[in-house]
Amino acid sequence: MLVLTSLGSKALNLDIGIYQGFDVIEINFKVLQGRYVLEADGRIFNAFNKDIVLNITPLRDSVLVQINHRNVGLFKEVALYGRSFVNVFELENKKAGIPLRSYEDDLKIRVTKSKLLIINSIDIERYVAGVVQAESGGSTSNPQFFQVQSVSCRTYALVNVQKHAVDGFHLCDEVHCQYYLGKATLENVIKATLSTSGEVVVDTNDQMINAVFHSNCGGQTVNAQEVWSTSKSYLISQPDSFCHNASKARWEVTLDSAVFVEKLEQYFHYPIHDSLSLDSALHFHQPYRLQYFGAKVPLKLVRKEFGLKSTYFETDIKNGKVRISGKGFGHGIGLCQQGAIEMANRGYTYKSILRYYYPGTHLNLYTSLKYPFIPN
Ligand SMILES: [Zn+2]
Ligand SMILES: [Zn+2]
């Protein structure tokens, strides 16, 4: 059995806010593997194993814990700590209609705004494997790509560990941070995480980088400064010849031209009565990635308002319809997942793929960094 654990003498756990996209008003907890102890408001209760289901609901600003409809108690904060070598539990979220999910390590629950705040406190390596599976488990089975994704997800997690400090956890389980649906089950994913254990991407000063990624860059990545107003030497625009034939390389949207023009004016105060400006909007071309659309509208705003897959698109008009033809999917900054998969399929190693998409960087273990940014 493969068991993922953090490097070094001390385990590095991350607190992940789970079910963040839902209002959770009931959860059922069941042990799948190992032995769990319930600790609530400083009191330690009996250990639980496989046969017991804990029903957990909010009651005013407290957490009500029941077993077989009998009250265990009403608490401010509830924690379920795994006490075995391997600890896995299952959560059932019936009222929100979410399929059963299994998680590893510990669970902490309290009530905020009459809803359950659910935190999975988990070893970083097990979390990374879960993220790699949720983010890209279905897209390939190439182990080199899973290694690429393990290193980038680990680096991203450590660099962004304060993103939810005000919420009382480190990272959420939505794409806002990194998509995470619980325990990794794919052996290729678990092996890839294990084989890169502790590795992070660092710049020339040995500082961990903001290892952002996206689905498909459309053939040219984007300079971070154009989207986020912060420049990074490793997040620069560069051509990518590896993602051209991938599934998300091209897309097309057709809109009624009157609707398109009306929206341009409504969203961006676009000068639609100026014939030159209107013409540049209806016949917009990007031989290489540009920053502005037509009469100086930032492309990132056009993407947002029209709900487009990327900013790398062109327009033309025919029979009263505007055709928007685009390349790529996502913000286009940093690592292009479909390009990285193609590189892996052509035999590039995960280290060379990471160097390609994050130029000027190299790998190091977070445990040997001079200035690691590690959570408490
Ligand atoms: Zn988040
Ligand atoms: Zn690409």
Side-chain angles (χ1 to χ4, degrees):
M1 183 178 59
L2 296 171
V3 178
L4 290 164
T5 56
S6 50
L7 288 182
S9 52
K10 197 168 165 278
L12 171 55
N13 276 10
L14 293 175
D15 285 347
I16 313 298
I18 60 173
Y19 297 108
Q20 282 294 298
F22 305 91
D23 287 335
V24 183
I25 47 165
E26 181 180 10
I27 199 114
N28 287 324
F29 169 95
K30 190 176 147 191
V31 179
L32 291 182
Q33 214 178 332
R35 192 176 61 95
Y36 275 81
V37 168
L38 170 68
E39 194 177 311
D41 295 350
R43 285 170 63 197
I44 295 173
F45 291 77
N46 289 339
F48 298 98
N49 54 27
K50 278 182 172 180
D51 305 317
I52 296 167
V53 176
L54 269 67
N55 177 264
I56 300 165
T57 50
L59 186 65
R60 289 181 295 279
D61 61 345
S62 300
V63 185
L64 176 66
V65 181
Q66 294 181 309
I67 297 174
N68 287 333
H69 305 289
R70 291 178 59 176
N71 287 2
V72 176
L74 194 61
F75 310 102
K76 287 285 170 219
E77 192 159 324
V78 168
L80 286 142
Y81 293 114
R83 288 285 182 247
S84 303
F85 182 55
V86 176
N87 303 287
V88 186
F89 60 89
E90 182 179 77
L91 292 182
E92 186 185 33
N93 200 334
K94 246 191 224 160
K95 289 202 171 129
I98 305 166
L100 289 175
R101 290 186 192 172
S102 55
Y103 290 90
E104 295 159 285
D105 297 348
D106 303 334
L107 187 70
K108 297 172 191 168
I109 300 177
R110 56 179 183 270
V111 173
T112 53
K113 294 175 190 159
S114 310
K115 309 284 185 315
L116 295 176
L117 172 65
I118 308 174
I119 295 168
N120 180 202
S121 185
I122 180 168
D123 183 280
I124 182 167
E125 297 301 327
R126 295 193 268 274
Y127 164 70
V128 166
V131 170
V132 173
Q133 180 159 328
E135 290 275 3
S136 58
S139 56
T140 180
S141 57
N142 192 305
Q144 288 289 332
F145 174 72
F146 289 143
Q147 288 177 307
V148 166
Q149 196 80 84
S150 300
V151 177
S152 55
C153 293
R154 185 181 299 109
T155 311
Y156 185 93
L158 287 172
V159 168
N160 290 283
V161 83
Q162 283 191 314
K163 219 166 168 178
H164 285 275
V166 290
D167 303 313
F169 51 85
H170 296 124
L171 299 152
C172 75
D173 62 347
E174 299 271 289
V175 284
H176 172 259
C177 289
Q178 302 190 103
Y179 200 35
Y180 170 63
L181 295 168
K183 187 184 183 324
T185 50
L186 297 172
E187 194 168 314
N188 269 354
V189 168
I190 297 169
K191 274 186 180 165
T193 305
L194 192 63
S195 66
T196 62
S197 196
E199 288 182 355
V200 289
V201 189
V202 295
D203 64 14
T204 44
N205 299 320
D206 237 12
Q207 297 275 354
M208 280 187 281
I209 69 160
N210 196 9
V212 289
F213 55 89
H214 58 275
S215 275
N216 186 308
C217 73
Q220 189 187 345
T221 61
V222 175
N223 191 325
Q225 195 168 13
E226 287 174 19
V227 179
W228 298 328
S229 315
T230 51
S231 71
K232 296 280 179 206
S233 60
Y234 52 83
L235 297 177
I236 49 166
S237 178
Q238 55 174 17
D240 179 3
S241 60
F242 294 99
C243 60
H244 286 299
N245 298 317
S247 61
K248 292 172 182 166
R250 301 200 180 275
W251 52 269
E252 200 173 291
V253 175
T254 305
L255 286 173
D256 189 84
S257 64
V259 173
F260 180 71
V261 170
E262 190 185 310
K263 285 186 172 176
L264 286 181
E265 188 178 34
Q266 183 191 340
Y267 294 147
F268 318 114
H269 304 296
Y270 196 90
I272 57 167
H273 301 295
D274 174 68
S275 61
L276 277 179
S277 296
L278 183 61
D279 192 61
S280 70
L282 298 174
H283 301 95
F284 178 66
H285 294 293
Q286 286 194 74
Y288 52 90
R289 276 193 183 265
L290 300 174
Q291 204 174 340
Y292 296 100
F293 171 78
K296 284 277 173 197
V297 179
L299 274 162
K300 64 175 180 181
L301 295 185
V302 180
R303 180 189 173 206
K304 185 172 167 242
E305 294 296 354
F306 281 98
L308 303 176
K309 287 181 177 167
S310 74
T311 59
Y312 202 7
F313 64 85
E314 305 198 332
T315 59
D316 61 50
I317 182 159
K318 204 176 177 184
N319 302 329
K321 301 274 183 201
V322 174
R323 186 175 58 181
I324 308 175
S325 340
K327 294 191 245 180
F329 191 8
H331 54 59
I333 302 165
L335 186 130
C336 167
Q337 286 174 306
Q338 291 198 320
I341 290 171
E342 180 59 22
M343 285 184 84
N345 290 342
R346 292 191 200 175
Y348 288 90
T349 64
Y350 75 97
K351 289 183 182 174
S352 59
I353 298 170
L354 286 163
R355 262 201 312 273
Y356 182 75
Y357 287 106
Y358 303 120
T361 64
H362 61 282
L363 301 191
N364 205 341
L365 297 174
Y366 69 76
T367 46
S368 51
L369 295 181
K370 200 173 169 193
Y371 304 107
F373 190 76
I374 305 293
N376 296 319

